[in-house]
Amino acid sequence: MAEKQVSSLPAKLINGGVAGLVGVTCVFPIDLAKTRLQNQQGVQVYEGMLDCLSKTVRSEGYFGCYRGAAVNLTLVTPEKAIKLAANDVFRQKLSRDGHLPLWGEVLAGCGAGTCQVVVTTPMEMLKIQLQDAGRLAAQRPVPTPAQAAAPGAAPTLVAPPPARPSPPPRASAMGITAELLKTKGLAGLYRGAGATLMRDVPFSMIYFPLFANLNALGREKLGDVQARAPFWQSFMAGCGAGSVAAVAVTPLDVIKTRLQTLQKGAGEDTYKGIVDCTQRIMMREGPSAFLKGATCRALVIAPLFGIAQGVYFLGVGETLLDLLG
């Protein structure tokens, strides 16, 4: 079967948006575990991904695993749409006679990663605050019955009931946004933009060329047109390329996450910038800290991009535009 004609830009945007919504919904709990594991510095609240998820469900309920999901689901549509569509547009512009050399594939990925940062930075900035709130709450000491007893109260032989700390006010994306705009201006929402760019550009430079080559394996050419990859191949190519790129840029993701986390736990470092963050992590936690959350990140990105590419290559946008037309 020959490859479809080049899709229109609106179809690319629809495909990218739908793919992002489906993918994020499926993998968000693992992404939450990744953020909490990467932010651990001194007190080890969680021992790993499964421990993090089980403790989150016990203390915050099942929907606690989806804290920050609303922000992601709202902004992932433009983010994924920009990323996937920009890569396709750059590939078309850099192609010559239907052929795109490896340097062109890398450059197209670089352009896609650069374009998406406009949406990715504020999205991740807000998402990280909401995701990490449960970890910070778990670090707060629970007062003992003796500490909770009012001073000067008459002694009693009846043991007081276990004290429960009053939960802190639940953060919201709108509240965080309003506070950042009030105190820091628009720049507050773009804190960590440099680190986000450092992570997303190399990711896209690795992911898109690798995906394109995996997706083309075993496909014959009919003249200048290459046979269309089946759904399973696009899905597996997205998973494989996504996992490789995700693990490769995990150190940069750790730095970005630390810089964008506004609230710190007891004894946790704050950072002045990318260089300061890198040096402090190296000195206080060692090189292994740069791979915190690597497994979670691979488990998030692999299915996320597998689903994204599967939906993208199914042509949902083209079908929808045909129905509306």
Side-chain angles (χ1 to χ4, degrees), residues 1-48:
M1 179 179 175
E3 189 78 63
K4 285 185 178 180
Q5 294 296 317
V6 174
S7 302
S8 65
L9 183 58
K12 296 178 191 297
L13 296 176
I14 293 171
N15 284 331
V18 171
L21 287 173
V22 174
V24 165
T25 302
C26 293
V27 302
F28 192 84
I30 305 174
D31 185 63
L32 178 135
K34 175 204 74 89
T35 297
R36 293 187 176 185
L37 290 172
Q38 286 182 339
N39 269 330
Q40 290 193 136
Q41 296 184 38
V43 179
Q44 298 295 303
V45 179
Y46 312 110
E47 296 178 4

Side-chain angles (χ1 to χ4, degrees), residues 78-88 90 105-122 190 192-208:
E79 190 255 356
K80 283 291 177 290
I82 291 171
K83 187 187 191 84
L84 295 173
N87 179 69
D88 267 11
F90 284 125
E105 294 181 347
V106 173
L107 195 57
C110 177
T114 303
C115 289
Q116 78 172 83
V117 168
V118 175
V119 177
T120 302
T121 303
Y190 280 86
T196 305
L197 196 66
M198 281 179 55
R199 180 200 66 174
D200 287 349
V201 169
F203 177 92
S204 295
M205 291 172 70
I206 296 169
Y207 172 79
F208 283 110

Side-chain angles (χ1 to χ4, degrees), residues 7 47 49 59 77 103 155 173 210 263 289 309 319:
S7 302
E47 296 178 4
M49 180 185 70
S59 60
T77 298
W103 66 264
L210 183 56
Q263 300 293 326
Q309 292 295 354
T319 303

